[in-house]
Amino acid sequence: MESLVLTTGWMGIFSPLALGAIGSMIGVGRGGLAAAGAMLEVEAGYGRFVGVAAMPSSQTIYGIVVMLTLNRPVSVANSPGLFVLGVLTGVALLISALAQGTACAASISASKSKAEVFGISIAPAAVIEGFAVFVFVFALVLAGSIPR
Amino acid sequence: MIGRVMDAGPGEPPIWVMRRRATAWTTPQRRYYQLVAALPPLRDFRRTRVLPMSQRRLEERLALLHPEDLADLRMAVSLVSWRRQPINRTTAEIAAMYEECMAATRNRALRSTVEFRMNVRTVMVALRLKRLGRGVPSGRWGVGNYTRTIESRWTDPEFGLAAVFPWIPEARVFLDQGDATGLESLLMGLLWTKLSQVADRHPFGFEQVFAFAFKWDILHRWLSYDAQKARRRFDKLVLEATSEYQDIFA
């Protein structure tokens, strides 16, 4: 039973990075596919599409920082806290990366034929990034209250 | 005349409904980020003057679809297309195609779109038959869920379907006036609106792709009307010009 509890603690430590990276992979994949499609329709300005497509990468960086903050000797006392905080942070980062990937794809699709909307069309993706930052910041704050 | 081909038997749902129920939870929801981003925007067909994409380019893009989705789309296009249907195609054949399409198509929105288009065609058949002074049709004359309602409410100018199809009175006016272009514009507009709604609900889905393909078809058809008109005018101008030459050398 004790080993099972310790396992959940380790899961909590690595979840923000693992789930955040999975979300980034899928999110960047969505944006990248849209960028590749848009490149078939336009004659110039390919670089900005690639830049927008890479936006969901940040969730992996947040995941790395949260993982390093949660990293500590795992015990029966701190495993439940590590598990809940780590897994929920990871799930939030995963979903935000997926949503951001779709928003980036929509932005690329819209701006390929109407270049003047490029700036405003990435606003939804930036707002989604804001929610991911909330999760990231408050995960760091709460990590301090988990016993070492 | 097309009978009620969707009826499987007394008390039983149609065969295609039973098949749909079996596959409703197993049909994958594919996303086409690359394909959708590679399609140009389509503005309202009544305000567009140039086809934004050639048929060849469209075919190249549609080749990016999953084979199952592509097969479903091709089957649906044969029913929904605005291009002229083969003259030798009988009502029974169309009904059989419709039944096959509804049974085989995996995507619910695509089935709904085909059903919508065929319902519109069925109502238009009824309006035209009535305008010719025909009595209540029997046997195979249309497809869809409203053939019985139309038969039973034949004396009603809107067949009791005014709430379902609020465009019927307007279509009747165009029919009475003999305004074929106005009627075509109305019917195309109905499908265009329906397709826009479907595409907006499913971003980057197969729905957005088939909505584009059907809209492209509408646009292609609509612009061909203008081309025919332009050709007639061109012929008239050529005739006038050559007439003047004849006068000069007379």
Side-chain angles (χ1 to χ4, degrees):
Chain A
M1 186 64 189
E2 186 180 332
S3 60
L4 184 65
V5 174
L6 295 177
T7 303
T8 61
W10 280 108
M11 279 178 66
I13 290 174
F14 197 63
S15 286
L17 174 57
L19 296 177
I22 290 169
S24 292
M25 287 181 240
I26 300 172
V28 173
R30 288 177 180 178
L33 284 170
M39 286 175 198
L40 295 173
E41 279 292 299
V42 298
E43 301 298 328
Y46 306 134
R48 64 182 181 179
F49 295 144
V50 176
V52 174
M55 276 183 78
S57 307
S58 56
Q59 279 80 354
T60 301
I61 299 167
Y62 302 151
I64 291 171
V65 177
V66 175
M67 179 195 70
L68 293 175
T69 310
L70 291 176
N71 191 23
R72 66 200 64 198
V74 178
S75 65
V76 175
N78 64 13
S79 286
L82 290 172
F83 177 76
V84 171
L85 192 61
V87 169
L88 289 181
T89 302
V91 169
L93 293 177
L94 168 69
I95 293 173
S96 74
L98 298 181
Q100 197 173 40
T102 304
C104 289
S107 165
I108 291 165
S109 183
S111 59
K112 73 169 189 295
S113 51
K114 208 171 180 184
E116 63 270 25
V117 302
F118 177 70
I120 194 73
S121 68
I122 58 174
V127 173
I128 294 169
E129 183 77 26
F131 291 118
V133 170
F134 283 143
V135 172
F136 167 62
V137 169
F138 288 99
L140 296 182
V141 171
L142 290 178
S145 60
I146 296 176
R148 285 193 172 270
Chain B
M1 302 289 245
I2 300 172
R4 286 166 289 282
V5 294
M6 307 309 293
D7 294 346
E12 289 180 14
I15 294 165
W16 67 268
V17 170
M18 290 190 282
R19 286 184 188 165
R20 280 303 114 223
R21 284 175 187 168
T23 57
W25 299 101
T26 57
T27 305
Q29 293 294 313
R30 298 186 186 93
R31 290 283 176 267
Y32 294 101
Y33 292 95
Q34 184 182 7
L35 175 52
V36 171
L39 300 174
L42 292 181
R43 293 178 180 83
D44 189 282
F45 65 97
R46 285 158 288 215
R47 288 185 281 122
T48 304
R49 289 285 164 266
V50 182
L51 204 59
M53 177 182 260
S54 67
Q55 184 160 9
R56 185 182 168 190
R57 181 69 65 86
L58 177 65
E59 291 295 331
E60 286 174 5
R61 296 285 188 271
L62 294 180
L64 294 170
L65 282 170
H66 187 278
E68 286 181 354
D69 289 340
L70 186 59
D72 288 352
L73 177 60
R74 293 212 187 287
M75 189 183 289
V77 163
S78 63
L79 279 167
V80 176
S81 174
W82 287 85
R83 271 163 276 182
R84 201 167 291 283
Q85 301 284 330
I87 296 171
N88 57 353
R89 185 177 286 171
T90 64
T91 312
E93 285 172 348
I94 294 173
M97 283 172 64
Y98 175 69
E99 190 179 14
E100 187 187 352
C101 181
M102 297 303 277
T105 303
R106 285 159 277 258
N107 187 280
R108 185 181 297 177
L110 181 55
R111 286 199 308 276
S112 165
T113 304
V114 171
E115 192 176 19
F116 174 83
R117 172 83 175 106
M118 296 308 285
N119 280 336
V120 170
R121 285 177 66 179
T122 298
V123 171
M124 288 310 302
V125 167
L127 284 174
R128 287 194 172 104
L129 287 174
K130 197 167 181 183
R131 193 165 175 277
L132 292 171
R134 304 273 179 86
V136 182
S138 59
R140 292 190 165 184
W141 67 273
V143 296
N145 301 324
Y146 297 104
T147 49
R148 271 186 191 169
T149 309
I150 291 171
E151 289 168 11
S152 63
R153 303 286 298 274
W154 188 252
T155 52
D156 187 326
E158 281 94 34
F159 308 113
L161 295 172
V164 186
F165 303 120
W167 48 269
I168 292 179
E170 198 177 348
R172 283 180 55 229
V173 171
F174 283 128
L175 270 178
D176 292 341
Q177 292 174 345
D179 185 354
T181 307
L183 182 61
E184 203 79 329
S185 174
L186 171 71
L187 300 181
M188 285 178 170
L190 291 172
L191 185 59
W192 189 278
T193 306
K194 164 90 176 168
L195 292 168
S196 297
Q197 291 167 348
V198 167
D200 290 346
R201 277 199 295 269
H202 303 90
F204 297 105
F206 173 52
E207 295 82 358
Q208 203 165 356
V209 179
F210 80 68
F212 180 90
F214 290 162
K215 281 184 169 183
W216 184 93
D217 182 61
I218 291 174
L219 195 53
H220 184 251
R221 182 72 176 164
W222 182 254
L223 292 176
S224 75
Y225 295 151
D226 284 354
Q228 286 165 3
K229 192 177 173 184
R231 190 181 301 162
R232 281 198 299 272
R233 178 152 175 74
F234 177 73
D235 289 343
K236 191 179 171 187
L237 289 170
V238 168
L239 192 65
E240 286 175 6
T242 51
S243 298
E244 281 178 18
Y245 267 109
Q246 285 170 0
D247 289 342
I248 290 169
F249 289 104

